[in-house]
Amino acid sequence: MTAHENQLKSHGLRVTDARLRVLEAFVLKSVALSQPDIMLLLPDTFDRVTVYRTLERFVQHGILHEIADFSGAIRYALCNNGCNRHNHRHDHLHLHCRICNATRCTDILLQQEVLPVGFLVEKTSLYMEGICSDCQSKQVQ
Amino acid sequence: MTAHENQLKSHGLRVTDARLRVLEAFVLKSVALSQPDIMLLLPDTFDRVTVYRTLERFVQHGILHEIADFSGAIRYALCNNGCNRHNHRHDHLHLHCRICNATRCTDILLQQEVLPVGFLVEKTSLYMEGICSDCQSKQVQ
DNA sequence: GTTTATGCAAATTCTTTGCAATACT
DNA sequence: AGTATTGCAAAGAATTTGCATAAAC
């Protein structure tokens, strides 16, 4: 049994080809992906609807989390630590580079001082757009 | 000359009926609105396209800012302080209540410690979903 | 054998584009 | 008068729904 098969089972999901390939895509690319991104990575492989439902299931079961951005399309990224169906919290910063168009998770966590009083927080999003260090050095050349 | 007419002119925009009505909607509702939200508030008044272009212009000229959320549709909110074409920064927390469905700006600012090293930040989004204090007290009853 | 996932067709929602007519300053 | 805005028609993305077939456990 492969590591990806294991990951699906341990999160309470059936092992299917579509799920293995989508999970693989996220692991290989290590950037956030939207449904249209995945269609480009896996052309003529699965139906659009299958990919949408795979992403939906992955979010429900703590394999992926959604990223709120300004693009309109919903981007997803791998949950780094022990997320599951019931514990699924994402307080880290996401960075999107407008040159290479990559969105990545970071280890930078949201500071506690920012939490609002009286509001019951269920979902958090910390997101920045700009230019990543790689693309900055390429531009200077 | 009304206050809204003034606001448009001082931001370098022509005064038109569509812009006055859309601006009015944001001031009256005091919550974030998407293009579809505005169509519901101003039915049979303006064309969809006009509303989209009005929102686009308002963002360009520092009257509105976009909010990155999980909704699919792009939501907009009034800029509180002196935004304009060239100075247009939004580092404050936005709160979305999933009961009353309202998204509001807060005065809580993003802490500096959160800024990433080496990444040139151009646009920031801090967003939380949950239950607002009003809806929490209604649920308890 | 039962439950769950997939594919196909179709529809819905959100957003953008081009162009002629109209309104603003 | 000259420039910017609007409406209409149409197209283009992203996403969702229903239902029959197929695959997983």
Side-chain angles (χ1 to χ4, degrees), chain B residues 101-116:
Chain B
N101 208 33
T103 303
R104 293 172 199 279
C105 297
T106 73
D107 293 332
I108 300 174
L109 291 176
L110 186 63
Q111 304 294 301
Q112 294 291 337
E113 302 89 54
V114 153
L115 294 178

Side-chain angles (χ1 to χ4, degrees), chain B residues 6 12 21 27 31 34 43 57 60 62 64 71-72 80-82 92 103 111 117-118 120 125-126 131 137:
Chain B
N6 246 324
R21 297 294 304 279
V27 173
V31 298
S34 64
R57 274 266 178 282
Q60 287 171 350
L64 295 178
S71 80
N80 14 24
N81 27 24
H92 59 274
T103 303
Q111 304 294 301
V117 178
L120 176 62
S125 164
L126 178 54
I131 308 181
S137 38

Side-chain angles (χ1 to χ4, degrees), chain A residues 30-121:
Chain A
S30 74
V31 298
L33 300 172
S34 63
Q35 180 274 345
D37 292 335
I38 293 165
M39 294 313 280
L40 295 174
L41 292 172
L42 305 173
D44 307 318
T45 314
F46 304 105
D47 192 80
R48 250 176 307 171
V49 180
T50 301
V51 175
Y52 276 112
R53 292 198 267 231
T54 300
L55 294 170
E56 186 185 24
R57 274 268 176 282
F58 280 10
V59 169
Q60 287 170 349
H61 289 255
I63 292 177
L64 295 177
H65 60 282
E66 296 183 0
I67 300 174
D69 64 18
F70 299 101
S71 79
I74 305 170
R75 286 209 183 89
Y76 300 84
L78 287 172
C79 300
N80 15 23
N81 28 25
C83 281
N84 58 46
R85 253 208 120 128
H86 305 292
N87 178 22
H88 204 350
R89 206 63 181 273
H90 298 280
D91 295 358
H92 59 275
L93 169 65
H94 297 98
L95 294 178
H96 176 79
C97 174
R98 70 169 164 83
I99 306 292
C100 63
N101 209 32
T103 304
R104 294 171 197 280
C105 297
T106 73
D107 293 333
I108 300 174
L109 292 176
L110 186 64
Q111 304 294 300
Q112 294 290 337
E113 304 89 51
V114 153
L115 294 177
V117 178
F119 190 94
L120 176 63
V121 177

